[in-house]
Amino acid sequence: MAKVLLAEDDENLGELLKNYLNAKSFETDLYHNGEEAFEGFRKEHYDLCILDVMMPIKDGFTLAQEIRSFNKVIPIIFLTARSMKDDVLEGFKIGADDYITKPFNMDELLFRIEAILRRVKSDASFQPQVYTLGKYTFDVQKQLLQSSDASYKLTTKESELLKLLCDNANQVLERNYALKTIWEDDSYFNARSMDVYITKLRKYLKDESTVEILNVHGKGFKLVMY
Amino acid sequence: MAKVLLAEDDENLGELLKNYLNAKSFETDLYHNGEEAFEGFRKEHYDLCILDVMMPIKDGFTLAQEIRSFNKVIPIIFLTARSMKDDVLEGFKIGADDYITKPFNMDELLFRIEAILRRVKSDASFQPQVYTLGKYTFDVQKQLLQSSDASYKLTTKESELLKLLCDNANQVLERNYALKTIWEDDSYFNARSMDVYITKLRKYLKDESTVEILNVHGKGFKLVMY
DNA sequence: ATATATAGTTAAAGATTGTTAAAGGTAGTG
DNA sequence: CACTACCTTTAACAATCTTTAACTATATAT
């Protein structure tokens, strides 16, 4: 069950799409402009974004840029009425995964959504994702954190949390976002559980002084690397 | 528009990849062994390297090592045969960013390339912000204020406020602006809280006479440096 | 000069986070 | 099923960070 963020200012088209996607068992939230959509993105956890390019207050490209600054991997599909090529290129520079030109067949959109999710999923399960943390390398698939001195087999939660921190290196990883991504819901106890895992991760990294997990009071955590 | 160095001894696969990447608007140069590739690396500027591990004359790992000795940040992706397992780890110690196992889907390779370039770009846009305050240096990311005599780990709020003061060094940092930036809203209590933090910052800086936080009555504060 | 608003300082209260250990769950094995 | 090993959550308490409160000092205006 994937959660979809839909940003579309046209009320009719928006509702139509939302209902269609819900019927196809994508839990879809509709926002009517870029600003609303970004707020929603920060508060909830989504697996995929569908953004209209032309929207009031904040356009789709700007929105995508902001979303990318918080999440480098979430798939983004643009809806564009214009078939202008330059705009499309602009979108891909920001890190879009696909675009679809209005008017379009909804089945076609569905097909593309499924294709992208399939690719991302198979990619994630097949492709090694490896981060460098000072002297350590962190292999997400293998859940392995190792240096020449030490090698730690991480648990699922440890690994998921460290991956999120790495994805947001040198920026604040917000508590709520992490909780909704890893724990599904942000409750008091899950938040405490997360704190316990932060302690565990800090222990693993304690002998690498160039990597540190800082707390940002009331907001979340920040993985800083020098 | 990114330039890609591709080192692959298999003529068919090499040309196929080159054409594919060119079509995806990556300007790709193909080299047929490690030695050629290294010469090319020295002559041209590339944004990313894709290296086959098994190549005649000079293998991919050795090549990567040489490339790394000249450039510590350029992303390197290895192409490896499926059988290799421990060898792959060897590659990461040299500083590879990712590896992909043959046979692979070209779309998946493209996805990895884009993901890595996105990451590198956002890393590059992150420049460590360090201010000099007399004998102190203030590292915003690390939230660290240190001199040869003392080192203070700043809290989030202390750090945010000091950063704003530094950004507005020798000019007035207005109360309302600071409150709205750091505390989200300017209320009586937040203003008082800010005053408390000004006191804290002054304490940290008290033994550095060339730096001072002045009050501008009714307006805000000014960080003056001589 | 005196009143009033603004700022300085310190300490306590309140909120969040850090840490450790025990309890509860889950998956594998004999 | 019982046993084990490991992972995750809950609980309890300590430490730290932020806000509030109270009191003092200074600046500005009447």
Side-chain angles (χ1 to χ4, degrees):
Chain A
M1 169 74 76
K3 274 201 79 177
V4 173
L5 180 154
L6 173 60
E8 168 61 64
D9 66 307
D10 182 322
E11 191 73 52
N12 290 325
L13 178 58
E15 283 296 331
L16 199 69
L17 268 177
K18 179 181 166 175
N19 292 334
Y20 176 78
L21 292 174
N22 278 331
K24 299 292 181 183
S25 70
F26 289 102
E27 197 185 331
T28 306
D29 292 339
L30 172 62
Y31 300 96
H32 299 87
N33 63 61
E35 210 162 275
E36 267 185 25
F38 186 62
E39 275 173 40
F41 172 77
R42 297 304 302 280
K43 289 201 186 112
E44 297 292 322
H45 165 77
Y46 293 101
D47 301 294
L48 182 135
C49 300
I50 303 174
L51 314 180
D52 189 7
V53 170
M54 302 234 286
M55 279 187 299
I57 306 180
K58 188 181 285 176
D59 69 285
F61 289 144
T62 309
L63 174 58
Q65 229 150 7
E66 292 181 356
I67 288 175
R68 266 284 168 270
S69 74
F70 281 91
N71 185 324
K72 306 217 187 345
V73 295
I74 190 169
I76 297 176
I77 298 176
F78 282 123
L79 306 181
T80 171
R82 302 176 280 182
S83 52
M84 291 169 68
K85 246 198 156 186
D86 290 346
D87 291 31
V88 167
L89 280 174
E90 186 65 31
F92 281 100
K93 276 185 202 148
I94 290 157
D97 294 83
D98 208 343
Y99 68 96
I100 190 162
T101 311
K102 294 180 189 176
F104 55 85
N105 182 317
M106 288 210 285
D107 290 328
E108 189 189 339
L109 176 61
L110 182 65
F111 181 79
R112 297 212 190 177
I113 290 172
E114 283 169 339
I116 283 180
L117 287 179
R118 227 177 4 249
R119 196 187 73 196
V120 168
K121 197 179 160 190
S122 81
D123 204 65
S125 63
F126 181 67
Q127 288 305 310
Q129 250 188 299
V130 181
Y131 296 94
T132 303
L133 301 166
K135 67 177 181 179
Y136 285 98
T137 58
F138 167 43
D139 188 316
V140 178
Q141 267 63 46
K142 291 180 178 164
Q143 302 186 188
L144 213 57
L145 181 68
Q146 56 182 2
S147 72
S148 46
D149 303 325
S151 179
Y152 303 109
K153 275 182 68 179
L154 303 191
T155 71
T156 308
K157 283 271 190 295
E158 286 169 352
S159 188
E160 288 175 329
L161 183 53
L162 185 53
K163 178 188 182 312
L164 270 196
L165 285 165
C166 289
D167 285 340
N168 295 279
N170 294 314
Q171 318 177 74
V172 178
L173 168 64
E174 302 211 13
R175 268 201 117 87
N176 283 357
Y177 179 76
L179 285 170
K180 280 178 182 150
T181 305
I182 299 176
W183 277 267
E184 250 88 72
D185 87 299
D186 60 339
S187 64
Y188 170 77
F189 284 119
N190 285 340
R192 301 304 295 147
S193 195
M194 175 169 160
D195 288 331
V196 172
Y197 280 99
I198 290 287
T199 296
K200 287 173 201 254
L201 292 180
R202 281 177 176 149
K203 272 187 191 158
Y204 291 135
L205 296 168
K206 69 175 181 297
D207 64 340
E208 175 52 76
S209 58
T210 67
V211 179
E212 209 176 345
I213 300 173
L214 296 183
N215 172 252
V216 180
H217 197 93
K219 300 218 168 62
F221 295 91
K222 184 163 69 170
L223 178 75
V224 291
M225 297 163 64
Y226 322 123
Chain B
M1 174 74 68
K3 274 200 78 176
V4 173
L5 180 153
L6 173 61
E8 167 61 65
D9 65 308
D10 181 321
E11 190 72 52
N12 289 326
L13 178 59
E15 282 296 330
L16 199 69
L17 269 178
K18 178 181 166 175
N19 291 335
Y20 176 79
L21 292 174
N22 279 332
K24 298 294 181 182
S25 69
F26 290 101
E27 198 185 331
T28 306
D29 292 339
L30 172 63
Y31 301 96
H32 298 87
N33 63 61
E35 210 162 274
E36 268 187 24
F38 187 62
E39 277 173 39
F41 172 78
R42 297 302 306 280
K43 286 196 187 122
E44 298 291 323
H45 164 79
Y46 293 101
D47 301 293
L48 182 135
C49 301
I50 303 174
L51 315 180
D52 188 7
V53 170
M54 302 236 285
M55 281 186 299
I57 307 181
K58 187 182 285 178
D59 70 285
F61 288 145
T62 310
L63 174 57
Q65 230 150 7
E66 292 180 357
I67 288 175
R68 265 282 168 272
S69 73
F70 281 90
N71 186 326
K72 303 256 181 308
V73 295
I74 190 169
I76 297 176
I77 298 176
F78 281 125
L79 307 181
T80 76
R82 202 179 237 324
S83 55
M84 312 183 94
K85 281 248 160 93
D86 295 338
D87 296 30
V88 164
L89 283 173
E90 188 62 34
F92 283 103
K93 281 184 195 146
I94 292 158
D97 294 82
D98 211 342
Y99 61 94
I100 188 164
T101 313
K102 296 180 187 176
F104 55 85
N105 181 316
M106 288 208 286
D107 288 331
E108 285 167 5
L109 176 60
L110 181 65
F111 185 81
R112 303 292 340 145
I113 290 172
E114 284 169 340
I116 283 179
L117 288 179
R118 261 202 304 274
R119 199 190 68 203
V120 167
K121 198 179 160 192
S122 81
D123 278 357
S125 69
F126 157 70
Q127 48 240 5
Q129 261 189 297
V130 180
Y131 296 96
T132 303
L133 301 166
K135 66 176 180 180
Y136 286 99
T137 59
F138 167 43
D139 187 317
V140 178
Q141 289 293 324
K142 291 158 127 178
Q143 301 185 186
L144 211 59
L145 181 67
Q146 55 185 355
S147 71
S148 47
D149 304 325
S151 179
Y152 304 109
K153 275 182 69 177
L154 303 191
T155 73
T156 308
K157 284 272 191 294
E158 286 168 353
S159 187
E160 289 174 328
L161 183 54
L162 185 53
K163 178 188 183 311
L164 270 196
L165 285 165
C166 289
D167 286 340
N168 296 277
N170 296 313
Q171 357 174 54
V172 178
L173 168 64
E174 301 209 16
R175 267 201 118 87
N176 283 358
Y177 176 75
L179 285 170
K180 280 175 186 154
T181 306
I182 299 176
W183 277 265
E184 249 91 73
D185 88 299
D186 60 339
S187 66
Y188 170 76
F189 284 119
N190 285 339
R192 300 311 331 235
S193 195
M194 175 169 160
D195 288 331
V196 172
Y197 280 100
I198 290 288
T199 296
K200 287 173 200 254
L201 292 180
R202 280 176 176 150
K203 272 186 190 159
Y204 291 135
L205 296 168
K206 69 175 182 297
D207 64 340
E208 175 52 76
S209 57
T210 67
V211 178
E212 212 174 344
I213 299 173
L214 299 182
N215 173 252
V216 180
H217 197 90
K219 301 228 160 56
F221 296 91
K222 184 160 71 170
L223 178 75
V224 291
M225 296 163 65
Y226 314 116

